[in-house]
Amino acid sequence: MALEDAKLFKQDMYALIIDFTSAFNTTDHDRMLWIMYDLGFPMDAIEVVGNLYQNATTQVSLPQGGRTDQIPVKRGTIQGDTLSPFLFLLYMEPLFGWLQGGGRGYSHACLKETSIENLARHNISDTDEISNGSCADNLLCITQRLCDLHIQADKLSNYADWAALQVSGKKTKVTGILHKAKQTGIYGTDPSQHLKTQLNEEISVQGQHARFIRDTDPFKY
């Protein structure tokens, strides 16, 4: 919907596509409990999760039969536990909130075209925007301005460092589409070359440059 909005209302969009390496296996247990506390979970729920991960172990089935000795689970969520996907979502929630804060995401022009009366009637804020979308350990970060993309990339780096998450440099990409620039002609009839100049080896996360791809290039997500 954001892509359609940008095309219909001739707005620019930048996108940073992040892939975390072994994200489910690297979460820090203490930080996970801190996050639950900060999000307002009741203490009994936090204690249950803490007890679940205290002295937790796992085993690996061997191809020739049998299993390994008990392996301590000192990091990461427990594989196969139905609670693990939810805990990982909680682990990422502070990052999502940080990316959303500051009004640096993509602002839908269709809402700007709506009268204040209609906004109030439908309980829609005229500052509603989208800053990120996530699926498992993949994260899409979108902005309307290049300067905001740099700031969001710094947020991603800082949070990943704090949360002991590792960004995959090979799978992290950056792209954009300059509808507004094409309409105004500020960069000529084809602004794609200027977009490459803006983004190619210019956006970095955890010290790694995101690989630039054109808006028409396919990629695996």
Side-chain angles (χ1 to χ4, degrees):
M1 292 176 68
L3 288 168
E4 291 179 354
D5 184 89
K7 183 176 181 179
L8 288 171
F9 292 92
K10 308 301 180 186
Q11 296 202 121
D12 296 339
M13 178 185 289
Y14 297 90
L16 181 60
I17 303 152
I18 298 291
D19 182 277
F20 292 103
T21 301
S22 301
F24 293 92
N25 298 325
T26 57
T27 54
D28 182 276
H29 297 162
D30 288 336
R31 284 175 172 78
M32 183 168 62
L33 298 177
W34 295 345
I35 290 170
M36 291 184 67
Y37 180 81
D38 287 339
L39 290 176
F41 278 80
M43 287 305 300
D44 57 347
I46 298 173
E47 289 173 0
V48 166
V49 174
N51 291 336
L52 181 66
Y53 280 85
Q54 187 175 10
N55 300 321
T57 60
T58 188
Q59 287 180 298
V60 178
S61 297
L62 302 174
Q64 63 270 29
R67 298 179 179 178
T68 63
D69 294 333
Q70 294 286 345
I71 303 170
V73 179
K74 296 183 178 180
R75 300 187 68 84
T77 54
I78 299 174
Q79 187 174 5
D81 180 23
T82 54
L83 187 61
S84 294
F86 179 64
L87 291 177
F88 183 74
L89 288 176
L90 295 181
Y91 198 72
M92 298 297 290
E93 181 62 26
L95 173 61
F96 299 153
W98 196 14
L99 291 173
Q100 186 70 17
R104 303 187 187 281
Y106 177 81
S107 181
H108 291 82
C110 61
L111 294 181
K112 296 178 183 177
E113 297 295 319
T114 307
S115 68
I116 297 299
E117 291 78 8
N118 286 336
L119 290 173
R121 187 180 304 118
H122 296 289
N123 194 29
I124 299 175
S125 169
D126 60 352
T127 59
D128 277 0
E129 61 181 22
I130 178 172
S131 64
N132 62 87
S134 63
C135 177
D137 57 355
N138 296 285
L139 176 65
L140 172 67
C141 178
I142 61 175
T143 69
Q144 230 169 305
R145 301 185 303 169
L146 180 60
C147 60
D148 288 331
L149 191 68
H150 282 282
I151 293 173
Q152 300 293 67
D154 287 341
K155 290 181 181 181
L156 281 163
S157 296
N158 290 328
Y159 189 82
D161 290 343
W162 176 83
L165 295 169
Q166 182 62 48
V167 171
S168 171
K170 293 181 178 180
K171 296 182 179 180
T172 296
K173 303 174 180 68
V174 64
T175 187
I177 186 164
L178 305 180
H179 293 296
K180 184 176 181 179
K182 185 175 182 179
Q183 183 185 42
T184 59
I186 187 173
Y187 304 129
T189 56
D190 183 11
S192 59
Q193 187 57 42
H194 182 78
L195 180 70
K196 183 177 181 179
T197 303
Q198 287 182 320
L199 299 179
N200 190 35
E201 296 191 356
E202 294 294 332
I203 307 296
S204 63
V205 181
Q206 283 191 320
Q208 305 173 89
H209 289 300
R211 184 170 69 87
F212 170 74
I213 56 173
R214 297 178 301 174
D215 63 292
T216 54
D217 289 344
F219 68 94
K220 291 183 179 180
Y221 183 50

